Amino acid sequence: MTGFAYRDGEMHAEGVALSRIAREVGTPVYVYSSAMLRANYRAFADAMKGLDAEVHYAVKANSNLAVIRTFARLGAGADIVSEGEMRRALAAGVPADRIVFSGVGKKVSELRAALEVGIRQINVESRHELDMLDGVAGAMGKRTDIAIRINPDVDPNTHAKITTGKKGNKFGIDIDLAREAFAYAAGKPNLNVLGVAIHIGSQITDMEPYRHAIRRVREFVGQLRADGLDITRFDVGGGLGITYRNETPVPIDAFVGMVRQETGNMGCALSFEPGRRLVGDAGVLLGEVILVKPGVARTFVIVDAAMNDLIRPTLYEAWHDIVPARQPAANAEEIVTDIVGPICESGDFLAQKRTMTPLAAGDLVVVKSAGAYGAVMSSTYNTRPLVPETLVDGDRYAVVRPRQTYEQLIGADRVPAWLE
Ligand code: LLP
């Protein structure tokens, strides 16, 4: 009864028919499976047994409080990139000392907020940030633990927009400049330089780039120790890919096993920062077909879920599997269609030239593997209310973010006095 599967001809999330959620909550709507969230987390936890390591869930992938709390209950920490994400992690029950703050452009106010609650570690990405953080900590009479994110210059073989650890990316400090940066940090009175952090990219399906990066870090840590620094933490980042179409993801136990082997004699506590791998396949976006428009060149299936609800196809040319909620007959004919939203842009599509069984107005469609970077990247473009989210657990489900009302959406604007 786990995950998403057809039962009695209807797509279910665990024990709940998606048609029921569509009826009761309306569409478009995100649906998450608790069982899959837990199974994904446990795969990490099991693989890490005996290792001095923690999972800091990258909450940017799906920052709904119910999702974060599901992981927090299992012992997860959080990787955050903004004060907002910090507030979410805390509200969801992640202890402050299990929160790691990453990000290339943290503001003074955000650093202050992080020090106020006493988070575990700040991953610093530039010399300027070292100065800022040292100043903020000093003014508060505190000393803070940091890691420095380095850019190891490896190619993770993924989409350019989610490659982060190659020369020329804005993230981290170039490995060639990093030794100097660590020495500089060590001279700061309010910083406690404990670790090295990397994050080489996202949707990575090959283990070798990680291995290369880790070997570089291992050698680099040796240099830092020769310089007299006491490095005790290594944050390997996130980035593990999932199957959207036909990718073969790296098994979690093989990945953790590789990290265990490569870091065996490093003497560092490890941090993993998975996002997508924990939530991606645990969520779907459910939409309803508004109409079908046959054309000369193409047939368009127009659904009520659009690029404002799921922007990945538009932004990264991402492929998401789309299936009807009602199971098609095994021998049903298939046609080639575009599945698009109602938004006034040609870039508004969920799938192009997709071969699938024909759809008709009123049919429900299930956009799969949408649990990561789906709802969190949604917007209200075309004044469409923010998409709601639901969480299934066995035979029950709950709305974990209601659909925004028009009042909330439009009522948030203010007309200045001079226009009244
Ligand atoms: N740690 C850091 C410092 C990160 O920047 C990220 C993601 C992660 C961990 C988690 O990476 P994951 O395990 O989820 O791959 N919106 C894009 C993905 C952007 C990833 C940004 N950084 C997408 O929809 O594909």
mmCIF file with all atom_site columns, all heavy atoms in Angstrom, residues 229-251:
data_model
loop_
_atom_site.group_PDB
_atom_site.id
_atom_site.type_symbol
_atom_site.label_atom_id
_atom_site.label_alt_id
_atom_site.label_comp_id
_atom_site.label_asym_id
_atom_site.label_entity_id
_atom_site.label_seq_id
_atom_site.pdbx_PDB_ins_code
_atom_site.Cartn_x
_atom_site.Cartn_y
_atom_site.Cartn_z
_atom_site.occupancy
_atom_site.B_iso_or_equiv
_atom_site.pdbx_formal_charge
_atom_site.auth_seq_id
_atom_site.auth_comp_id
_atom_site.auth_asym_id
_atom_site.auth_atom_id
_atom_site.pdbx_PDB_model_num
ATOM 1   N N   . LEU A 1 229 ? 45.186 23.812 11.105  1.00 0.00 ? 229 LEU A N   1
ATOM 2   C CA  . LEU A 1 229 ? 43.746 23.930 11.375  1.00 0.00 ? 229 LEU A CA  1
ATOM 3   C C   . LEU A 1 229 ? 43.181 22.591 11.820  1.00 0.00 ? 229 LEU A C   1
ATOM 4   O O   . LEU A 1 229 ? 43.568 21.539 11.308  1.00 0.00 ? 229 LEU A O   1
ATOM 5   C CB  . LEU A 1 229 ? 43.018 24.400 10.108  1.00 0.00 ? 229 LEU A CB  1
ATOM 6   C CG  . LEU A 1 229 ? 43.185 25.875 9.792   1.00 0.00 ? 229 LEU A CG  1
ATOM 7   C CD1 . LEU A 1 229 ? 42.720 26.160 8.374   1.00 0.00 ? 229 LEU A CD1 1
ATOM 8   C CD2 . LEU A 1 229 ? 42.377 26.710 10.765  1.00 0.00 ? 229 LEU A CD2 1
ATOM 9   N N   . ASP A 1 230 ? 42.238 22.663 12.738  1.00 0.00 ? 230 ASP A N   1
ATOM 10  C CA  . ASP A 1 230 ? 41.643 21.444 13.268  1.00 0.00 ? 230 ASP A CA  1
ATOM 11  C C   . ASP A 1 230 ? 40.299 21.199 12.569  1.00 0.00 ? 230 ASP A C   1
ATOM 12  O O   . ASP A 1 230 ? 39.252 21.633 13.037  1.00 0.00 ? 230 ASP A O   1
ATOM 13  C CB  . ASP A 1 230 ? 41.454 21.621 14.785  1.00 0.00 ? 230 ASP A CB  1
ATOM 14  C CG  . ASP A 1 230 ? 41.024 20.323 15.427  1.00 0.00 ? 230 ASP A CG  1
ATOM 15  O OD1 . ASP A 1 230 ? 41.191 19.265 14.794  1.00 0.00 ? 230 ASP A OD1 1
ATOM 16  O OD2 . ASP A 1 230 ? 40.488 20.368 16.551  1.00 0.00 ? 230 ASP A OD2 1
ATOM 17  N N   . ILE A 1 231 ? 40.350 20.525 11.434  1.00 0.00 ? 231 ILE A N   1
ATOM 18  C CA  . ILE A 1 231 ? 39.122 20.304 10.645  1.00 0.00 ? 231 ILE A CA  1
ATOM 19  C C   . ILE A 1 231 ? 38.471 18.990 11.090  1.00 0.00 ? 231 ILE A C   1
ATOM 20  O O   . ILE A 1 231 ? 39.077 17.929 10.987  1.00 0.00 ? 231 ILE A O   1
ATOM 21  C CB  . ILE A 1 231 ? 39.460 20.251 9.136   1.00 0.00 ? 231 ILE A CB  1
ATOM 22  C CG1 . ILE A 1 231 ? 40.103 21.560 8.680   1.00 0.00 ? 231 ILE A CG1 1
ATOM 23  C CG2 . ILE A 1 231 ? 38.210 19.934 8.308   1.00 0.00 ? 231 ILE A CG2 1
ATOM 24  C CD1 . ILE A 1 231 ? 39.235 22.796 8.810   1.00 0.00 ? 231 ILE A CD1 1
ATOM 25  N N   . THR A 1 232 ? 37.233 19.103 11.556  1.00 0.00 ? 232 THR A N   1
ATOM 26  C CA  . THR A 1 232 ? 36.561 17.912 12.101  1.00 0.00 ? 232 THR A CA  1
ATOM 27  C C   . THR A 1 232 ? 35.227 17.600 11.422  1.00 0.00 ? 232 THR A C   1
ATOM 28  O O   . THR A 1 232 ? 34.577 16.631 11.765  1.00 0.00 ? 232 THR A O   1
ATOM 29  C CB  . THR A 1 232 ? 36.275 18.099 13.610  1.00 0.00 ? 232 THR A CB  1
ATOM 30  O OG1 . THR A 1 232 ? 35.499 19.301 13.781  1.00 0.00 ? 232 THR A OG1 1
ATOM 31  C CG2 . THR A 1 232 ? 37.567 18.210 14.408  1.00 0.00 ? 232 THR A CG2 1
ATOM 32  N N   . ARG A 1 233 ? 34.794 18.470 10.485  1.00 0.00 ? 233 ARG A N   1
ATOM 33  C CA  . ARG A 1 233 ? 33.503 18.241 9.824   1.00 0.00 ? 233 ARG A CA  1
ATOM 34  C C   . ARG A 1 233 ? 33.642 18.338 8.318   1.00 0.00 ? 233 ARG A C   1
ATOM 35  O O   . ARG A 1 233 ? 34.357 19.211 7.814   1.00 0.00 ? 233 ARG A O   1
ATOM 36  C CB  . ARG A 1 233 ? 32.468 19.277 10.275  1.00 0.00 ? 233 ARG A CB  1
ATOM 37  C CG  . ARG A 1 233 ? 32.103 19.195 11.734  1.00 0.00 ? 233 ARG A CG  1
ATOM 38  C CD  . ARG A 1 233 ? 31.052 20.237 12.067  1.00 0.00 ? 233 ARG A CD  1
ATOM 39  N NE  . ARG A 1 233 ? 30.813 20.311 13.498  1.00 0.00 ? 233 ARG A NE  1
ATOM 40  C CZ  . ARG A 1 233 ? 30.034 21.220 14.075  1.00 0.00 ? 233 ARG A CZ  1
ATOM 41  N NH1 . ARG A 1 233 ? 29.417 22.134 13.341  1.00 0.00 ? 233 ARG A NH1 1
ATOM 42  N NH2 . ARG A 1 233 ? 29.859 21.217 15.373  1.00 0.00 ? 233 ARG A NH2 1
ATOM 43  N N   . PHE A 1 234 ? 32.916 17.461 7.634   1.00 0.00 ? 234 PHE A N   1
ATOM 44  C CA  . PHE A 1 234 ? 32.879 17.499 6.172   1.00 0.00 ? 234 PHE A CA  1
ATOM 45  C C   . PHE A 1 234 ? 31.421 17.371 5.741   1.00 0.00 ? 234 PHE A C   1
ATOM 46  O O   . PHE A 1 234 ? 30.756 16.380 6.030   1.00 0.00 ? 234 PHE A O   1
ATOM 47  C CB  . PHE A 1 234 ? 33.736 16.375 5.596   1.00 0.00 ? 234 PHE A CB  1
ATOM 48  C CG  . PHE A 1 234 ? 33.687 16.261 4.088   1.00 0.00 ? 234 PHE A CG  1
ATOM 49  C CD1 . PHE A 1 234 ? 33.370 17.348 3.274   1.00 0.00 ? 234 PHE A CD1 1
ATOM 50  C CD2 . PHE A 1 234 ? 33.966 15.047 3.472   1.00 0.00 ? 234 PHE A CD2 1
ATOM 51  C CE1 . PHE A 1 234 ? 33.319 17.231 1.891   1.00 0.00 ? 234 PHE A CE1 1
ATOM 52  C CE2 . PHE A 1 234 ? 33.923 14.918 2.083   1.00 0.00 ? 234 PHE A CE2 1
ATOM 53  C CZ  . PHE A 1 234 ? 33.599 16.009 1.300   1.00 0.00 ? 234 PHE A CZ  1
ATOM 54  N N   . ASP A 1 235 ? 30.949 18.399 5.044   1.00 0.00 ? 235 ASP A N   1
ATOM 55  C CA  . ASP A 1 235 ? 29.573 18.448 4.561   1.00 0.00 ? 235 ASP A CA  1
ATOM 56  C C   . ASP A 1 235 ? 29.606 18.135 3.062   1.00 0.00 ? 235 ASP A C   1
ATOM 57  O O   . ASP A 1 235 ? 30.110 18.941 2.282   1.00 0.00 ? 235 ASP A O   1
ATOM 58  C CB  . ASP A 1 235 ? 29.055 19.870 4.833   1.00 0.00 ? 235 ASP A CB  1
ATOM 59  C CG  . ASP A 1 235 ? 27.608 20.045 4.475   1.00 0.00 ? 235 ASP A CG  1
ATOM 60  O OD1 . ASP A 1 235 ? 27.101 19.255 3.672   1.00 0.00 ? 235 ASP A OD1 1
ATOM 61  O OD2 . ASP A 1 235 ? 26.994 20.991 5.001   1.00 0.00 ? 235 ASP A OD2 1
ATOM 62  N N   . VAL A 1 236 ? 29.098 16.962 2.688   1.00 0.00 ? 236 VAL A N   1
ATOM 63  C CA  . VAL A 1 236 ? 29.215 16.528 1.292   1.00 0.00 ? 236 VAL A CA  1
ATOM 64  C C   . VAL A 1 236 ? 28.086 17.055 0.403   1.00 0.00 ? 236 VAL A C   1
ATOM 65  O O   . VAL A 1 236 ? 28.044 16.771 -0.790  1.00 0.00 ? 236 VAL A O   1
ATOM 66  C CB  . VAL A 1 236 ? 29.305 14.987 1.148   1.00 0.00 ? 236 VAL A CB  1
ATOM 67  C CG1 . VAL A 1 236 ? 30.532 14.451 1.850   1.00 0.00 ? 236 VAL A CG1 1
ATOM 68  C CG2 . VAL A 1 236 ? 28.060 14.309 1.672   1.00 0.00 ? 236 VAL A CG2 1
ATOM 69  N N   . GLY A 1 237 ? 27.158 17.814 0.977   1.00 0.00 ? 237 GLY A N   1
ATOM 70  C CA  . GLY A 1 237 ? 26.100 18.416 0.171   1.00 0.00 ? 237 GLY A CA  1
ATOM 71  C C   . GLY A 1 237 ? 25.033 17.409 -0.217  1.00 0.00 ? 237 GLY A C   1
ATOM 72  O O   . GLY A 1 237 ? 24.954 16.305 0.331   1.00 0.00 ? 237 GLY A O   1
ATOM 73  N N   . GLY A 1 238 ? 24.195 17.806 -1.158  1.00 0.00 ? 238 GLY A N   1
ATOM 74  C CA  . GLY A 1 238 ? 23.117 16.930 -1.624  1.00 0.00 ? 238 GLY A CA  1
ATOM 75  C C   . GLY A 1 238 ? 23.324 16.632 -3.095  1.00 0.00 ? 238 GLY A C   1
ATOM 76  O O   . GLY A 1 238 ? 24.447 16.534 -3.554  1.00 0.00 ? 238 GLY A O   1
ATOM 77  N N   . GLY A 1 239 ? 22.214 16.506 -3.823  1.00 0.00 ? 239 GLY A N   1
ATOM 78  C CA  . GLY A 1 239 ? 22.327 16.396 -5.275  1.00 0.00 ? 239 GLY A CA  1
ATOM 79  C C   . GLY A 1 239 ? 21.966 15.065 -5.883  1.00 0.00 ? 239 GLY A C   1
ATOM 80  O O   . GLY A 1 239 ? 21.905 14.941 -7.103  1.00 0.00 ? 239 GLY A O   1
ATOM 81  N N   . LEU A 1 240 ? 21.714 14.047 -5.041  1.00 0.00 ? 240 LEU A N   1
ATOM 82  C CA  . LEU A 1 240 ? 21.424 12.725 -5.610  1.00 0.00 ? 240 LEU A CA  1
ATOM 83  C C   . LEU A 1 240 ? 20.141 12.754 -6.444  1.00 0.00 ? 240 LEU A C   1
ATOM 84  O O   . LEU A 1 240 ? 19.098 13.208 -5.984  1.00 0.00 ? 240 LEU A O   1
ATOM 85  C CB  . LEU A 1 240 ? 21.260 11.693 -4.500  1.00 0.00 ? 240 LEU A CB  1
ATOM 86  C CG  . LEU A 1 240 ? 22.532 11.112 -3.893  1.00 0.00 ? 240 LEU A CG  1
ATOM 87  C CD1 . LEU A 1 240 ? 22.148 10.032 -2.893  1.00 0.00 ? 240 LEU A CD1 1
ATOM 88  C CD2 . LEU A 1 240 ? 23.457 10.544 -4.960  1.00 0.00 ? 240 LEU A CD2 1
ATOM 89  N N   . GLY A 1 241 ? 20.234 12.235 -7.640  1.00 0.00 ? 241 GLY A N   1
ATOM 90  C CA  . GLY A 1 241 ? 19.116 12.294 -8.577  1.00 0.00 ? 241 GLY A CA  1
ATOM 91  C C   . GLY A 1 241 ? 18.091 11.193 -8.361  1.00 0.00 ? 241 GLY A C   1
ATOM 92  O O   . GLY A 1 241 ? 18.302 10.242 -7.609  1.00 0.00 ? 241 GLY A O   1
ATOM 93  N N   . ILE A 1 242 ? 16.963 11.362 -9.028  1.00 0.00 ? 242 ILE A N   1
ATOM 94  C CA  . ILE A 1 242 ? 15.887 10.366 -8.995  1.00 0.00 ? 242 ILE A CA  1
ATOM 95  C C   . ILE A 1 242 ? 15.520 10.002 -10.435 1.00 0.00 ? 242 ILE A C   1
ATOM 96  O O   . ILE A 1 242 ? 16.032 10.604 -11.383 1.00 0.00 ? 242 ILE A O   1
ATOM 97  C CB  . ILE A 1 242 ? 14.634 10.905 -8.262  1.00 0.00 ? 242 ILE A CB  1
ATOM 98  C CG1 . ILE A 1 242 ? 14.080 12.151 -8.984  1.00 0.00 ? 242 ILE A CG1 1
ATOM 99  C CG2 . ILE A 1 242 ? 14.949 11.225 -6.813  1.00 0.00 ? 242 ILE A CG2 1
ATOM 100 C CD1 . ILE A 1 242 ? 12.693 12.578 -8.487  1.00 0.00 ? 242 ILE A CD1 1
ATOM 101 N N   . THR A 1 243 ? 14.595 9.064  -10.583 1.00 0.00 ? 243 THR A N   1
ATOM 102 C CA  . THR A 1 243 ? 14.137 8.695  -11.918 1.00 0.00 ? 243 THR A CA  1
ATOM 103 C C   . THR A 1 243 ? 12.964 9.584  -12.310 1.00 0.00 ? 243 THR A C   1
ATOM 104 O O   . THR A 1 243 ? 11.931 9.572  -11.646 1.00 0.00 ? 243 THR A O   1
ATOM 105 C CB  . THR A 1 243 ? 13.670 7.230  -11.955 1.00 0.00 ? 243 THR A CB  1
ATOM 106 O OG1 . THR A 1 243 ? 14.752 6.418  -11.519 1.00 0.00 ? 243 THR A OG1 1
ATOM 107 C CG2 . THR A 1 243 ? 13.252 6.819  -13.358 1.00 0.00 ? 243 THR A CG2 1
ATOM 108 N N   . TYR A 1 244 ? 13.128 10.354 -13.364 1.00 0.00 ? 244 TYR A N   1
ATOM 109 C CA  . TYR A 1 244 ? 12.003 11.086 -13.938 1.00 0.00 ? 244 TYR A CA  1
ATOM 110 C C   . TYR A 1 244 ? 11.497 10.332 -15.171 1.00 0.00 ? 244 TYR A C   1
ATOM 111 O O   . TYR A 1 244 ? 10.314 10.220 -15.407 1.00 0.00 ? 244 TYR A O   1
ATOM 112 C CB  . TYR A 1 244 ? 12.426 12.501 -14.345 1.00 0.00 ? 244 TYR A CB  1
ATOM 113 C CG  . TYR A 1 244 ? 12.583 13.437 -13.153 1.00 0.00 ? 244 TYR A CG  1
ATOM 114 C CD1 . TYR A 1 244 ? 13.843 13.756 -12.669 1.00 0.00 ? 244 TYR A CD1 1
ATOM 115 C CD2 . TYR A 1 244 ? 11.471 13.964 -12.523 1.00 0.00 ? 244 TYR A CD2 1
ATOM 116 C CE1 . TYR A 1 244 ? 13.986 14.608 -11.579 1.00 0.00 ? 244 TYR A CE1 1
ATOM 117 C CE2 . TYR A 1 244 ? 11.598 14.814 -11.440 1.00 0.00 ? 244 TYR A CE2 1
ATOM 118 C CZ  . TYR A 1 244 ? 12.857 15.138 -10.972 1.00 0.00 ? 244 TYR A CZ  1
ATOM 119 O OH  . TYR A 1 244 ? 12.987 15.968 -9.895  1.00 0.00 ? 244 TYR A OH  1
ATOM 120 N N   . ARG A 1 245 ? 12.457 9.847  -15.954 1.00 0.00 ? 245 ARG A N   1
ATOM 121 C CA  . ARG A 1 245 ? 12.096 9.183  -17.192 1.00 0.00 ? 245 ARG A CA  1
ATOM 122 C C   . ARG A 1 245 ? 12.773 7.811  -17.272 1.00 0.00 ? 245 ARG A C   1
ATOM 123 O O   . ARG A 1 245 ? 12.162 6.809  -16.993 1.00 0.00 ? 245 ARG A O   1
ATOM 124 C CB  . ARG A 1 245 ? 12.533 10.065 -18.359 1.00 0.00 ? 245 ARG A CB  1
ATOM 125 C CG  . ARG A 1 245 ? 12.060 9.562  -19.679 1.00 0.00 ? 245 ARG A CG  1
ATOM 126 C CD  . ARG A 1 245 ? 12.444 10.518 -20.782 1.00 0.00 ? 245 ARG A CD  1
ATOM 127 N NE  . ARG A 1 245 ? 11.792 10.174 -22.023 1.00 0.00 ? 245 ARG A NE  1
ATOM 128 C CZ  . ARG A 1 245 ? 11.915 10.868 -23.122 1.00 0.00 ? 245 ARG A CZ  1
ATOM 129 N NH1 . ARG A 1 245 ? 12.658 11.964 -23.136 1.00 0.00 ? 245 ARG A NH1 1
ATOM 130 N NH2 . ARG A 1 245 ? 11.293 10.491 -24.216 1.00 0.00 ? 245 ARG A NH2 1
ATOM 131 N N   . ASN A 1 246 ? 14.046 7.815  -17.587 1.00 0.00 ? 246 ASN A N   1
ATOM 132 C CA  . ASN A 1 246 ? 14.753 6.534  -17.683 1.00 0.00 ? 246 ASN A CA  1
ATOM 133 C C   . ASN A 1 246 ? 16.125 6.596  -17.024 1.00 0.00 ? 246 ASN A C   1
ATOM 134 O O   . ASN A 1 246 ? 16.992 5.793  -17.313 1.00 0.00 ? 246 ASN A O   1
ATOM 135 C CB  . ASN A 1 246 ? 14.865 6.116  -19.151 1.00 0.00 ? 246 ASN A CB  1
ATOM 136 C CG  . ASN A 1 246 ? 15.359 7.277  -20.004 1.00 0.00 ? 246 ASN A CG  1
ATOM 137 O OD1 . ASN A 1 246 ? 15.950 8.220  -19.467 1.00 0.00 ? 246 ASN A OD1 1
ATOM 138 N ND2 . ASN A 1 246 ? 15.140 7.222  -21.297 1.00 0.00 ? 246 ASN A ND2 1
ATOM 139 N N   . GLU A 1 247 ? 16.321 7.591  -16.155 1.00 0.00 ? 247 GLU A N   1
ATOM 140 C CA  . GLU A 1 247 ? 17.600 7.696  -15.462 1.00 0.00 ? 247 GLU A CA  1
ATOM 141 C C   . GLU A 1 247 ? 17.740 6.540  -14.467 1.00 0.00 ? 247 GLU A C   1
ATOM 142 O O   . GLU A 1 247 ? 16.763 6.089  -13.900 1.00 0.00 ? 247 GLU A O   1
ATOM 143 C CB  . GLU A 1 247 ? 17.705 9.003  -14.664 1.00 0.00 ? 247 GLU A CB  1
ATOM 144 C CG  . GLU A 1 247 ? 17.439 10.277 -15.442 1.00 0.00 ? 247 GLU A CG  1
ATOM 145 C CD  . GLU A 1 247 ? 15.958 10.679 -15.433 1.00 0.00 ? 247 GLU A CD  1
ATOM 146 O OE1 . GLU A 1 247 ? 15.096 9.794  -15.234 1.00 0.00 ? 247 GLU A OE1 1
ATOM 147 O OE2 . GLU A 1 247 ? 15.682 11.869 -15.627 1.00 0.00 ? 247 GLU A OE2 1
ATOM 148 N N   . THR A 1 248 ? 18.975 6.110  -14.278 1.00 0.00 ? 248 THR A N   1
ATOM 149 C CA  . THR A 1 248 ? 19.225 5.114  -13.242 1.00 0.00 ? 248 THR A CA  1
ATOM 150 C C   . THR A 1 248 ? 19.908 5.821  -12.083 1.00 0.00 ? 248 THR A C   1
ATOM 151 O O   . THR A 1 248 ? 21.078 6.172  -12.167 1.00 0.00 ? 248 THR A O   1
ATOM 152 C CB  . THR A 1 248 ? 20.161 3.999  -13.753 1.00 0.00 ? 248 THR A CB  1
ATOM 153 O OG1 . THR A 1 248 ? 19.698 3.602  -15.037 1.00 0.00 ? 248 THR A OG1 1
ATOM 154 C CG2 . THR A 1 248 ? 20.192 2.833  -12.806 1.00 0.00 ? 248 THR A CG2 1
ATOM 155 N N   . PRO A 1 249 ? 19.172 6.063  -11.020 1.00 0.00 ? 249 PRO A N   1
ATOM 156 C CA  . PRO A 1 249 ? 19.797 6.802  -9.912  1.00 0.00 ? 249 PRO A CA  1
ATOM 157 C C   . PRO A 1 249 ? 20.825 5.945  -9.175  1.00 0.00 ? 249 PRO A C   1
ATOM 158 O O   . PRO A 1 249 ? 20.761 4.719  -9.219  1.00 0.00 ? 249 PRO A O   1
ATOM 159 C CB  . PRO A 1 249 ? 18.619 7.129  -8.998  1.00 0.00 ? 249 PRO A CB  1
ATOM 160 C CG  . PRO A 1 249 ? 17.423 6.487  -9.560  1.00 0.00 ? 249 PRO A CG  1
ATOM 161 C CD  . PRO A 1 249 ? 17.804 5.669  -10.744 1.00 0.00 ? 249 PRO A CD  1
ATOM 162 N N   . VAL A 1 250 ? 21.734 6.615  -8.506  1.00 0.00 ? 250 VAL A N   1
ATOM 163 C CA  . VAL A 1 250 ? 22.711 5.917  -7.672  1.00 0.00 ? 250 VAL A CA  1
ATOM 164 C C   . VAL A 1 250 ? 21.967 5.408  -6.433  1.00 0.00 ? 250 VAL A C   1
ATOM 165 O O   . VAL A 1 250 ? 21.294 6.191  -5.763  1.00 0.00 ? 250 VAL A O   1
ATOM 166 C CB  . VAL A 1 250 ? 23.818 6.904  -7.227  1.00 0.00 ? 250 VAL A CB  1
ATOM 167 C CG1 . VAL A 1 250 ? 24.832 6.203  -6.340  1.00 0.00 ? 250 VAL A CG1 1
ATOM 168 C CG2 . VAL A 1 250 ? 24.485 7.552  -8.433  1.00 0.00 ? 250 VAL A CG2 1
ATOM 169 N N   . PRO A 1 251 ? 22.064 4.112  -6.113  1.00 0.00 ? 251 PRO A N   1
ATOM 170 C CA  . PRO A 1 251 ? 21.400 3.645  -4.893  1.00 0.00 ? 251 PRO A CA  1
ATOM 171 C C   . PRO A 1 251 ? 21.988 4.342  -3.656  1.00 0.00 ? 251 PRO A C   1
ATOM 172 O O   . PRO A 1 251 ? 23.199 4.581  -3.596  1.00 0.00 ? 251 PRO A O   1
ATOM 173 C CB  . PRO A 1 251 ? 21.720 2.143  -4.861  1.00 0.00 ? 251 PRO A CB  1
ATOM 174 C CG  . PRO A 1 251 ? 22.138 1.798  -6.255  1.00 0.00 ? 251 PRO A CG  1
ATOM 175 C CD  . PRO A 1 251 ? 22.739 3.031  -6.839  1.00 0.00 ? 251 PRO A CD  1
#
